Amino acid sequence: MRSIKKFFLWSFLLNRRFLKKPLFLFLLCLIPLTTLLARQIPGESTSLLSVGVCAGQAEDELTARVLAQLTQSDQGSAVRYIRYHNEKQLRQAVFDGDVRLGFLFPKDLSALFSSFAAVPASGTGGALSILGQAFGASDSEAVDKKGMQKNAIRVICGSNDIVTKMEKEQLFGKLYPEIERYVLKAWMDVHADDFSTDKEKRDAWLDRVLSDSTVTGNFFQLSYLNGDLIQDQELNTYYLSPLRGLLAITLILICFAACLFLMQDNQRQLFVWLSPSLRPWLHYLYLLIPVLDGGLFVFIALSVSGVGSGLSELAPFLLYLPAVCGFSNLIRVLTGKMTLLSASIPIVVMGCLFLTPVFFDLQIIPALQAVLPTAFYLRTLHGASTLLPLSLYAAVTSGASILIDWLKNR
């Protein structure tokens, strides 16, 4: 009974010491502040990527219609298209960083789509291009070279990176309905005997049919691996999705700060009166107390922001706290010096940012990913992994750090 009272007394005294430290209070205040700022992002800035578009010289009717559709306000879109009046403004916007890349449309976009409609399947591939086999046009290769290349959409970018490649595919998807229209019109022209002899009537009939068959419902029903459905409002808060990972990294920073405070107190021989067999346990408690404080702030912040999953996230979150303590304590006892521990902090933070699914789930260097607690925690959520790996990680790192600490204090 006395041991239990002593445990709670030490916990209370340690917690009071931490609440008097400005750095610790700053890290705690950073948690709700980050969440508040993330939620106050203006609607216009919620897009992940800004792209510039403009028409080359005088635009045709199709180009005007496409640009109007691209630049219309869509708060749920991950890409925001900004229209510029000429190529010079577009290039300057890319140079200044106002947009990631720019698309310069040809003066005759309909010519580009018409050329595509005449290309056989061997030239392009895809379901629509199969219709090109019915044309049998001997000059289809010439059409491809003279039509598609001459009227191609030009891409202006500062670097040819993965974002550029992905955005070209995204734009092609937005242009697909218009491409489909031109391919079908070309097919009807070849098979005019089966339709009205009046081309304008055929085109009007096709436009009406395509308009009536426009998809307005949702083809996709998203769910996590544990079966929880992803609500529509969650899809539009993608800019908040890294918040859980960033707050998880904040807990690691809090624990590293506690490690530095602990090493300072050990240098001052503050705990020299305690028996060597109990010091490793006190050291672990020393780290666990501020992590519990930070964990409370993080869990409340996740719930308020709408990113958290409520009680269903509680189990992995509670396991993540000792995992953070075990990981940080293990780094502390292995480095042994404040300078080495301080030098390891940016390395750990960079590893958590890029090797764990905070922004991207990169399946690279599995051995390094398995070292970081954020990888286990973030993949445990929503059933991507069971609680067992996270539990084992917390137990192994905590037990190993206490054991090594005990061996060094004998």
Side-chain angles (χ1 to χ4, degrees), residues 49-256:
L49 180 65
S50 294
V51 175
V53 292
C54 81
Q57 302 178 20
E59 61 189 44
D60 60 352
E61 180 183 352
L62 174 61
T63 304
R65 184 168 67 248
V66 167
L67 291 182
Q69 293 173 353
L70 290 176
T71 55
Q72 67 182 3
S73 178
D74 184 3
Q75 298 296 334
S77 177
V79 180
R80 180 166 61 107
Y81 293 91
I82 304 173
R83 184 167 184 174
Y84 292 90
H85 295 294
N86 52 56
E87 181 179 353
K88 182 179 179 180
Q89 290 184 355
L90 181 63
R91 288 184 175 274
Q92 189 63 41
V94 176
F95 179 80
D96 294 337
D98 296 335
V99 294
R100 184 66 178 267
L101 66 158
F103 290 107
L104 181 62
F105 284 78
K107 64 179 181 179
D108 190 2
L109 188 60
S110 58
L112 173 63
F113 291 171
S114 297
S115 300
F116 175 82
V119 178
S122 60
T124 59
L128 286 179
S129 60
I130 294 176
L131 295 175
Q133 295 178 349
F135 301 157
S138 59
D139 61 342
S140 59
E141 292 297 327
V143 169
D144 177 34
K145 293 179 180 179
K146 294 182 179 179
M148 294 187 66
Q149 293 182 8
K150 177 182 177 182
N151 299 290
I153 301 172
R154 293 168 55 193
V155 183
I156 302 171
C157 55
S159 60
N160 185 24
D161 52 16
I162 186 173
V163 175
T164 306
K165 294 178 174 62
M166 293 174 64
E167 172 51 24
K168 287 192 296 184
E169 295 183 9
Q170 203 261 5
L171 178 62
F172 189 85
K174 286 186 172 293
L175 297 178
Y176 185 87
E178 294 292 346
I179 297 174
E180 178 187 43
R181 186 187 307 270
Y182 272 78
V183 170
L184 292 177
K185 283 183 177 180
W187 186 84
M188 291 176 69
D189 289 342
V190 173
H191 298 80
D193 295 341
D194 299 329
F195 301 95
S196 172
T197 56
D198 189 332
K199 187 177 184 305
E200 291 186 359
K201 289 184 178 181
R202 292 201 311 268
D203 292 349
W205 174 83
L206 179 60
D207 290 340
R208 185 175 64 256
V209 171
L210 289 175
S211 177
D212 293 340
S213 61
T214 300
V215 177
T216 57
N218 194 347
F219 272 13
F220 304 95
Q221 186 181 67
L222 279 71
S223 66
Y224 296 109
L225 288 175
N226 63 1
D228 293 343
L229 292 179
I230 301 177
Q231 304 300 325
D232 290 341
Q233 57 266 28
E234 291 185 64
L235 300 177
N236 295 332
T237 58
Y238 45 80
Y239 58 94
L240 284 175
S241 58
L243 185 61
R244 179 187 278 112
L246 294 175
L247 292 179
I249 296 174
T250 303
L251 287 179
I252 295 180
L253 289 176
I254 289 176
C255 200
F256 269 114

Side-chain angles (χ1 to χ4, degrees), residues 206-342:
L206 179 60
D207 290 340
R208 185 175 64 256
V209 171
L210 289 175
S211 177
D212 293 340
S213 61
T214 300
V215 177
T216 57
N218 194 347
F219 272 13
F220 304 95
Q221 186 181 67
L222 279 71
S223 66
Y224 296 109
L225 288 175
N226 63 1
D228 293 343
L229 292 179
I230 301 177
Q231 304 300 325
D232 290 341
Q233 57 266 28
E234 291 185 64
L235 300 177
N236 295 332
T237 58
Y238 45 80
Y239 58 94
L240 284 175
S241 58
L243 185 61
R244 179 187 278 112
L246 294 175
L247 292 179
I249 296 174
T250 303
L251 287 179
I252 295 180
L253 289 176
I254 289 176
C255 200
F256 269 114
C259 287
L260 293 174
F261 292 141
L262 174 60
M263 298 177 87
Q264 282 183 342
D265 289 341
N266 284 336
Q267 287 179 353
R268 297 169 185 164
Q269 298 185 345
L270 189 64
F271 306 118
V272 70
W273 53 272
L274 196 64
S275 64
S277 60
L278 289 179
R279 285 178 200 167
W281 298 99
L282 179 64
H283 293 165
Y284 188 84
L285 179 63
Y286 192 105
L287 304 180
L288 183 61
I289 293 299
V291 171
L292 289 176
D293 290 339
L296 179 61
F297 274 71
V298 167
F299 194 78
I300 293 175
L302 289 175
S303 301
V304 171
S305 67
V307 175
S309 304
L311 294 179
S312 62
E313 189 173 343
L314 186 59
F317 186 77
L318 290 178
L319 287 173
Y320 177 65
L321 301 182
V324 168
C325 291
F327 170 76
S328 304
N329 196 31
L330 191 60
I331 298 295
R332 179 188 67 84
V333 296
L334 290 177
T335 54
K337 296 182 179 180
M338 293 182 63
T339 52
L340 293 177
L341 179 64
S342 301

Side-chain angles (χ1 to χ4, degrees), residues 281 284 326 330 393-405:
W281 298 99
Y284 188 84
L330 191 60
Y393 180 91
V396 170
T397 54
S398 299
S401 65
I402 293 175
L403 177 61
I404 297 174
D405 198 6

